[in-house]
Amino acid sequence: MISKTVDDSRVETVHVVRPNHLNGANRLFGGILMQWIDEVAGIVAKRHSMCNVTTASVDNLTFLHGAYQNDMVVIKGKITWVGSTSMEVCVDTYVENVDRQREWINNAHFIMVALDENDKPVQVPKLTLQTEDEHLAWERGEERRRIRNQRKKEKPDKV
Ligand SMILES: CC(C)(COP(=O)(O)OP(=O)(O)OC[C@H]1O[C@@H](n2cnc3c(N)ncnc32)[C@H](O)[C@@H]1OP(=O)(O)O)[C@@H](O)C(=O)NCCC(=O)NCCS
């Protein structure tokens, strides 16, 4: 089983907020941002696993601040934890101003699952942790995994 580093799969994308991205309150529509961050998480997971991937769940999706027309939105994704067939990808979103100062506007943790040619979950490479921050992120990922497993035992509420 091969092992890859966090840097092997990092992704950074940039979008400019256009009029067609706005909601009725003239802010970036949340659904558009969710599409952009899901795409980033998918690319990170694909780079790590070298497979097709699908989004299994999203933890702690938090909108911290709004974004507005002409804002430059920078999205950064990195892998924080891997299981057997699943990967946790942390995605942070910023608005960057002309001085390249960044305001943090969104944070989310995606659980992506690697799929084989029959769309069945398949083993992913191990993660080689190289820095103290990466070890800390892994420990937090383990804790989120524990909470998710606990939550799984509860029956979801249906509308
Ligand atoms: C995600 C999916 C492939 C999991 O398939 P499954 O048959 O339940 O597979 P398993 O039970 O073997 O789980 C595979 C891995 O996914 C993880 N997983 C499954 N459901 C999960 C969930 N809701 N949240 C987090 N992780 C999940 C498991 O913990 C396991 O991880 P591990 O191998 O690292 O231990 C399947 O539920 C699916 O296809 N869901 C729809 C995904 C989709 O269409 N996404 C796009 C949204 S429109």
Side-chain angles (χ1 to χ4, degrees), residues 59-70:
D59 270 357
N60 311 333
L61 176 71
T62 312
F63 293 95
L64 302 162
H65 296 282
Y68 301 86
Q69 190 169 334
N70 291 328

Side-chain angles (χ1 to χ4, degrees), residues 133-150:
D133 279 354
E134 289 171 7
H135 280 278
L136 194 58
W138 175 279
E139 280 166 30
R140 290 185 174 150
E142 291 255 87
E143 177 61 8
R144 281 186 291 271
R145 160 85 152 190
R146 193 190 61 72
I147 293 167
R148 271 194 305 279
N149 284 342
Q150 186 64 36

Side-chain angles (χ1 to χ4, degrees), residues 34 37 57-64 80 88-92 104-111 140-141 143-145 147-148 151:
M34 287 195 271
I37 62 178
S57 66
V58 186
D59 270 357
N60 311 333
L61 176 71
T62 312
F63 293 95
L64 302 162
T80 44
E88 184 191 67
V89 179
C90 175
V91 182
D92 283 318
W104 191 29
I105 66 161
N106 191 279
N107 172 251
H109 293 92
F110 286 75
I111 309 306
R140 290 185 174 150
E143 177 61 8
R144 281 186 291 271
R145 160 85 152 190
I147 293 167
R148 271 194 305 279
R151 219 187 297 139

Side-chain angles (χ1 to χ4, degrees), residues 11 13 17 19 24 46 53 84 98 105 125 127 136 140 149 152:
V11 171
T13 60
V17 180
K46 209 167 181 172
V53 297
S84 174
V98 287
I105 66 161
L127 189 63
L136 194 58
R140 290 185 174 150
N149 284 342
K152 249 188 189 171

Side-chain angles (χ1 to χ4, degrees), residues 70-144:
N70 291 328
D71 276 351
M72 192 158 71
V73 172
V74 178
I75 303 173
K76 295 172 72 169
K78 67 170 185 183
I79 195 152
T80 44
W81 175 91
V82 300
S84 174
T85 66
S86 66
M87 298 153 276
E88 184 191 67
V89 179
C90 175
V91 182
D92 283 318
T93 306
Y94 305 84
V95 167
E96 184 176 299
N97 71 18
V98 287
D99 300 324
R100 299 206 62 180
Q101 300 294 316
R102 291 180 175 182
E103 181 190 25
W104 191 29
I105 66 161
N106 191 279
N107 172 251
H109 293 92
F110 286 75
I111 309 306
M112 312 300 294
V113 177
L115 300 175
D116 67 14
E117 55 284 359
N118 300 311
D119 261 6
K120 297 287 175 227
V122 63
Q123 186 137 15
V124 298
K126 304 261 176 254
L127 189 63
T128 304
L129 303 171
Q130 295 181 301
T131 68
E132 211 171 296
D133 279 354
E134 289 171 7
H135 280 278
L136 194 58
W138 175 279
E139 280 166 30
R140 290 185 174 150
E142 291 255 87
E143 177 61 8
R144 281 186 291 271

Side-chain angles (χ1 to χ4, degrees), residues 4-20:
K4 298 176 87 172
T5 67
V6 174
D7 288 341
D8 286 334
S9 56
R10 274 181 198 277
V11 171
E12 180 167 327
T13 60
V14 184
H15 299 264
V16 175
V17 180
R18 303 285 183 210
N20 57 315

Side-chain angles (χ1 to χ4, degrees), residues 45-59:
K46 209 167 181 172
R47 281 183 173 171
H48 183 80
S49 65
M50 299 170 291
C51 288
N52 279 333
V53 297
T54 191
T55 308
S57 66
V58 186
D59 270 357

